[in-house]
Amino acid sequence: MDGLDCVVIGYNEGDFDDYRAMCERAGPGTPEYQIMRSEHLVVDGRAMPWLDAFSSLRNRENGGNGRYHVGEVFNLAALYLTSHLRRQGLRAEPVSLFSGERDRLADLLAERPAVVAVTTTFYVNILPVAPIVEFVRERSPSSHIVVGGPLVDNLCLSGLNGTVQDLFHAMGADSYIQESQGRRASPSCATPCARVPARPASTT
């Protein structure tokens, strides 16, 4: 069997407290702050994401310790891109929730996939991306890491300026795709990247 061509990683919940602190530093008039205000509830004096708040209130009522999380529904971006890559003849595997599937992801990375694609469908900042890139680098240094989707598309709306390049550097991937609908870019990216060694960060 041929080696693994691509692993497609879906969602990373990230750390809400870090996200909140970053948005508060940006200031009340910024889009980041306004989005953050709509993404959480305050329960018992503590700000938390909606699903964590629902979990806390439910557990209070029934005495349980369950937790609602986004991984209960498979990440559709990862599933869709994986299906598309397979139709192109590539061997691809999806990982829906980074924080909940680290062991499975580690097993896939042990196969040294040529490309690891990181989707950014729900992200408004880079905080969830960097831990994924670091995890992949540690376990499969030869894999070419590609970040694409709405986050990259939004960052590049004003052009590839110095601030955007700094953000790309902070994320630490090898390539960035400016295309909100990753399916159209995935064949042209995944196929050549699967055949060449990692190169300095670039955007297409």
Side-chain angles (χ1 to χ4, degrees):
M1 180 182 291
D2 293 336
L4 186 59
D5 289 302
C6 187
V7 173
V8 182
I9 301 176
Y11 188 65
N12 179 23
E13 292 176 289
D15 186 289
F16 178 76
D17 290 334
D18 288 345
Y19 168 55
R20 180 187 178 195
M22 186 194 74
C23 293
E24 289 177 343
R25 285 196 301 270
T30 61
E32 293 88 346
Y33 185 86
Q34 296 301 321
I35 292 171
M36 183 274 294
R37 280 175 54 87
S38 69
E39 289 184 333
H40 76 277
L41 294 173
V42 177
V43 178
D44 297 330
R46 181 181 169 219
M48 59 185 73
W50 283 87
L51 292 181
D52 287 355
F54 293 158
S55 300
S56 177
L57 293 171
R58 182 172 182 265
N59 291 337
R60 179 191 297 173
E61 289 297 317
N62 63 19
N65 61 355
R67 178 173 179 249
Y68 295 115
H69 59 84
V70 295
E72 292 179 290
V73 176
F74 205 97
N75 183 273
L76 296 182
L79 194 64
Y80 186 65
L81 282 175
T82 298
S83 175
H84 181 71
L85 290 170
R86 287 175 176 175
R87 288 199 298 270
Q88 308 306 310
L90 298 170
R91 185 177 171 223
E93 292 292 336
V95 172
S96 178
L97 181 64
F98 171 71
S99 57
E101 296 184 75
R102 288 174 184 251
D103 290 343
R104 178 170 179 270
L105 176 57
D107 289 341
L108 291 172
L109 294 175
E111 298 186 43
R112 298 296 185 266
V115 176
V116 175
V118 181
T119 66
T120 63
T121 304
F122 300 108
Y123 302 157
V124 296
N125 61 74
I126 71 170
L127 288 178
V129 177
I132 298 175
V133 173
E134 182 179 356
F135 187 92
V136 174
R137 288 272 186 241
E138 290 177 352
R139 289 158 180 80
S140 185
S142 63
S143 295
H144 188 103
I145 303 174
V146 180
V147 175
L151 176 64
V152 176
D153 194 41
N154 290 333
L155 288 175
C156 292
L157 286 178
S158 299
L160 191 61
N161 55 41
T163 299
V164 173
Q165 293 188 55
D166 287 344
L167 291 172
F168 285 167
H169 179 74
M171 283 189 277
D174 297 305
S175 298
Y176 300 87
I177 298 177
Q178 186 184 1
E179 168 57 64
S180 60
Q181 301 298 320
R183 180 182 67 83
R184 284 184 285 182
S186 57
S188 60
C189 175
T191 302
C193 286
R195 305 293 174 240
V196 300
R199 58 183 182 273
S202 61
T203 183
T204 58

